[in-house]
Structures are given as C-alpha cells and as structure tokens.
Amino acid sequence: MPSLSPPHKSAASGSAPSMSSKPSAPQTPPPPRKAKFRPALGGMVHGAFAHKSPDAAAGPASKKRAAVYMDSEDEDEDGGRAAAFTNGIANHSTPSGGKRKKMRKNGAANGGGNAQAQAAAKTRLLQEQRAQLPIAQGRDAIVRAVAANDVTIVLGETGSGKTTQIPQYLLEAGTLAGLLAITQPRRVAATSLAARVSQEQGRPLGTLVGYAVRFDEKLSDETRVKYLTDGMLMREMMGDPMLERYGVVIVDEAHERTLRTDLVLASLKRILKERNAGQAPGKGKERARNPLKVVVMSATLDAEKFSRFFDDAPVLYVKGRQHPVSVYHTATSQTDYVDAALRTFYQIHVDYPVGDVLIFLPGQEDIESLELSIRTYAKQLPANALGVLVCPLYASLPNAKQSRVFAPTPAHTRKCILATNIAETSITIPGVKYVIDTGKQKEKRHLTRMTGSGFDTLLTTDITKSSAMQRAGRAGREGPGNCFRLYTEDAFDAMALSSEPEVRRSSLTSALLQLKCTGQDLESIDFMDNPEVEAVGSALRTLWLLDAIDVKRQLTAFGRSMASFPLEPQYAAILLASVDNKCVADVISILSLLSSSSPLFPDSSAQRDDAAEARLKFRHPSGDHLTMLNVFRAYDELSASEGKGARRDWCRQNYVNERALREAGDIRTQLRGVCERTQLDWAVSCGDADGPVLKSLTRGLLQHAAFLQPDGSYKQTLGPSVIKIHPSSFLTGKPCPAIIYNELVRLSSAAAVTSRAECIHRCTQHISTPAASRLCLRHS
DNA sequence: GAGCACTGC
C-alpha cells in the first residue's frame, strides 16, 4: 500500500491508514469475530454490544406494561417502504420477505395461470405470511386492549410489522366504527404502506385501503383504512375539528416527535376529552355516541412518556427481531471524523468479508470530500483486491444518482454508501453489513429574537443515543453486522437520550395559525412538551403583523383565508395580497418556487462562474424573486412547445435545477386549485410590471425588511440585527435603499467570532423595493 | 464573496 497522504484537506500529516501494514491478501478468510478495529485510529476498543432490548435500554419494565413479547421474522414494513422510495425507482424490497414473493409470482406466470388465479394465489400466500408473523400471536391482546381503552400505546421494535398488521387486526375484528386513520411522518411511507396492506387484503389500492398525501390520494367511499401524513390529518382537522369521520386514529412513529406529530397528539387529547366524555364508569351522563380510539406507536424508549401524557394509558410491547450488531468505539476521540472514516473504511475493506458499508456524515460537503478520498485510494488497490463503488446519498442529490445505492453491488466489489441522516429513517438500503458512524449531524434551529421573526441556524452537532442506536441497527437488517463508532464509549454515554422535540426548536407561526383554525391555542393546548414562551410570542406577533389575528388574538377572516393555502403564513399573505394587486399568476409562480424543497440555483463550486454567466440572462433589476419568475416563465414557454428531453437540456445549459421547477409546478397546480375553490382568479397577471409583485411580496415579508446604511450594510426595520446580502444573490454589489428578503441565516463562520459577530447574517433571495420601506414604516 | 440535515400542507 502506498503511504501517501489522503487528499482530504485536514489529513493527519503523513500517516496513511493502517492498511499499509496489512498486505492485501485475499479477502476470503473471515476475520476473528471480535475484530481488530485497532488502527491508526489510535488503538481500538471494542465495546461488545449485544442487541439491547428496549426494556434494557429504558430501565425496568413498569408494572402496567403488558408484554406481548413476540419474535418477528424479517418480513417487515420497511421493506415496503424502501420499495416505493421516490418516484421512478423500481422495487427494492428487502431480499428477505420480498424475494420469496417475487419468485412465487414468477413461477405462476411461467405456469401460464390466468391473472385472476394468480391474484388469488398471491393473496393466499400473503395471508400465510401474515399468519406466520409472530406479531399474529399478540393479535387478540391488541384487539382487546384497543377495545378496552381510549388510548393504547404500542412499543414496537423495527421490523415488528406493527404498522401493517395492527390496522388490519382492528379492521378484521369487525368492531370498527367509522374510518381508521394511520398517520406517518413521510409521504413515501404512507403510500407504500397503503399499497402493501391493500395487497394483503387482496383488494385494489384505493378501495378498502387507501392513502392521502399531498399531491396524491387514492380513496373511495369503501375506504375503511386510510394511511396519511400527519400534516394531512392536521389539515383535515381544520374542516372537521373533532375528526368525526374517524373511529380510530393510529399515530405511528410517534417517537420521532416531529412538530406535526406533537400537534396531532395534542389535538387528539382534546378530541378524546370531548368525544369520549360521559364514558367514565360511575354516574352515567349520556354515553358518548361516537367515541374515538387512539393508538400511539413508538419504536423507542419513550413509551412511558406517551403513557403518562394520555392518563396512564396501557403499553403493549411488541418485540421485533433484528440481527445482532457488534458495536465498536474508538479508544480516543477523533478530531477529524472524515479522515477517521476514511481509515476505518479501508480497515474494513481490507480485513472484513464482503458486505456493503454505510457511512453516516453530517452533510454534502463532507460527503463530497470523503468520496474523493476513497476514490483516490481505491485506484491504488492491487489488481486482485475487492473493488470499491462509492455512492453518495443526500436529499438534494438527483433521483437518478440516489437510486444507485439500490442497484445490486457488482461482483468482486464492495459498495460504500456515504449518507446523511436520510439513511437513518427515510431510506433503507439493502446489503449493508457495516456501519461507520461519525456521531455528527446537522441540526436546524430557529432562534427567536425580541424583535423580528428570528432566524435559522444550521450547525453540525453531536447525535443522540437513539440516533446512534438507529444508525447501528442499519447494519443488522439482513444478517449480523458491525458498527464502528468514531467516538469513544464515554462520548456515547454523554450523549442526550433523544433529540429535543421539534416543537422546542422550530418556528411555530404556521402551527399557531392552524390551531387557531381548529379553535385551539398554543397557550391553552396540552403538549407533550411545551413550546418556549418566546417562540409563542414570536408566532403571535408575526400573525398579528400579517393581520391573521387581531389585537384580541382572534383569528381574522384574512387569517382564515391564509390558512386555506398549503403555504407558510408569510407566503399565504403574499398570495392574498396579489389578488388586490392583480398579479396572482405571477406571485403564485414565485411562491411555488420559494416553497419547493430544492433550490432553483444549486451551488456547485466547480462550475460556479459558468453558472453565474448562464443565469445572467434571467436577471431582473429588482432582484432575486423576479429573476426566479423570469426563469419559470422561460421554462413554461419551453414546456408548451418542447418535450422532456429539450427541457432537460435547457435546464442543464442554463444551470437551473429542473427538480425545483417540476416540484414548483406541482405546488402551483395545487395553489391554483385552492384559488378555484375559494373563488379567486389565479390567471390574473401583471405582465412585465414589477410593482404589483413587489407590493405583494412586501405584504408578507414586512418583518424581513432592511434599510441600507452608509457603510453598505443593512439594518433590519423590525429587528435589531445588521445584515448583509449573500454573495450568491443577484443583488450583490448593487446597493439599494431598502430590501426585503425571505430568509435570514447565521453564517457558521460568524459563530466563532465574539463581540457583535452574532449580528452578522446572511440574507438570501431578496429584492430591492422602495415600496418596502414605506410599508414597513407604516406597519411598525 | 459563501456553503444547504430532514420533513409536511
């Protein structure tokens, strides 16, 4: 092995990964079980870790926890989830349950049976599989518990099958009144689970079993079981605050504690109080006619907390089975986790048998850096060594590149996946036997200020214990695995148990507006964890400034209209303002692009100058928003005459992200639909005039306005901060008397500086408009 | 003249 320094920027001087000491012998001999992860990482520890059951991890089981201990085979809900992962990616079900199924199906096809017989055979097979699931032994216990209690907590390990089976048990028990809803934090999960359960019921998707997610639903009058995102259920609550249509609501993945899950849980508690009142034993008032049953499903640790929140609801424990994963910690802490990951990867590559490696890193930058390093070293491997295939994986990576992680690993090759948190929950990758965990992640935090609407930060932080366990578990999906943690066992012990729930760290403006529409309030609602007082104040102030609530904190008619749009409240206010300003069509296009999860102008350092030049032709003197509108208009024009290929070429030539435009197109269609339902004409355009658009934008962004100061920086009108324009903005170097902007982010470089450094911000996507200053003065 | 984890309506 050559002993060159890794190309990674901060490689330890001169010391190459210890693979140099290991002649690249044939890969076949399996290593000793208690591996020697010793290396250049400074002497290795082990950290034998037997797969801990949640009980062991959570402490002694409480008395009221009814154990339904069940071993589960590999058949699980995540297989289905992976299968439907993102558009255009074909079946990637886990080899375990999925393979058998596929083989059987092919066999039937070869036999020439007709479609109906095939379908029947398939249904029979699925029923056999269901019956063999160990969770099936707990079926009666589960049905009884739900019948006897308003709320039941189910603590189920990964792979227990709870998400697919429990709804069916309740359905098949025949006691179901009304619809059964089952919420998921992610859209892909809701759609793929519905498809799987539908299949198990032997019915076409959208009949007995259906789903509802943004942009897509498959439902009918027959539908009894409905998988939906938690955001979707919150939206339904705005029209049906008591969820009268539903007899059972199951909240899945509650341990993730997303803002929407917490909102759903809090709302369910309120609904239970109303709908199930009078059910209590003893003095009977009139018995509730339409009682609601709630099931909360969690994968970790927090079961007791959910139980307490719902007045000591009983906890059922469903055991899943994962293969054992041996966990190793480093003996000393690592200063450079990218370099440590590089060394560890090659340690595995040289010492361990075939099997893919999954490396968890905080972000794109680290992923790209490590990818380069691994590639560089791979070229130096001897000809007879196992090859290396590097696959990056993060959300903003184009779909086509993401799907590479699912392609079967070629012969005589080891796949190495470099992933962000996306591989922790959203995407399950088959074939992974080794996990390298840097122990880092990026976390967004909303910092509230006394004035202004606060700003977001995105910082690299240590992960939590539950994240670490989740990451390790990714190595044991299909067989025994190994997890190498690039931090010490002490560091693991020092980690927080789980992340702070989202309700404690994000902006609550949108949540507050939704709650107001269901007749609730942030101050009065009973949350699992209460939000910070400052965050509530900030949300109230923002809604008041937008005219969504009045001085008595009552929802206004304007606020109610705002809430009917699937947009941030600020953006909804802009849209409604554009009705008065007669530029709805133009503003909807801009808002769709701003709401898209992908950036329209991605930054790739390699081609930055070319990109800037190519985009110059769209530049609008007013700023970034109108520049974006120019791009969208050009793309629309092209779409009217040209096909898919031409559009793709055009986007490539102009360095704009087609994914952003496509997603914006979906959002725009949805927004137009809401306009039609509320009798607003979305086709009105102001043509080339920019005034109406600027005026509308200012209506929603008045908290995000700033004046030019003599030194060229800007001072917030409704906040204490001095800000500057991000260099990627089209307004850079073109001072204007006042700007509005739609995002304010703290520079990570400034975070290290003392004194007044925290007042230096990055502001992106602004626009210059004298109208902004006048409006803001009046409103302030 | 700088950097962007993930998700939802």
Side-chain angles (χ1 to χ4, degrees), chain A residues 458-519:
Chain A
L458 191 67
L459 295 173
T460 302
T461 59
D462 289 336
I463 58 168
T464 62
K465 281 197 179 94
S466 29
S467 269
M469 288 163 73
Q470 179 73 22
R471 289 179 175 190
R474 291 309 202 186
R477 301 286 302 176
E478 293 164 13
N482 293 280
C483 172
F484 300 90
R485 292 180 173 157
L486 303 180
Y487 43 91
T488 63
E489 200 158 7
D490 287 346
F492 174 78
D493 290 336
M495 284 174 178
L497 192 62
S498 49
S499 354
E500 200 173 12
E502 214 181 2
V503 68
R504 303 272 306 165
R505 53 189 168 91
S506 29
S507 161
L508 301 170
T509 312
S510 197
L512 177 57
L513 181 61
Q514 284 204 337
L515 286 174
K516 290 274 182 197
C517 288
T518 63

Side-chain angles (χ1 to χ4, degrees), chain A residues 44 79 81 179 189 295 354 646 650 711:
Chain A
M44 204 26 71
R81 223 171 275 186
L179 270 167
V295 179
V354 204
W650 182 87
D711 66 353

Side-chain angles (χ1 to χ4, degrees), chain A residues 155 174 346 402 466 513 609 646 753:
Chain A
L155 178 57
Y346 273 105
Q402 283 192 8
S466 29
L513 181 61
D609 291 340
V753 185

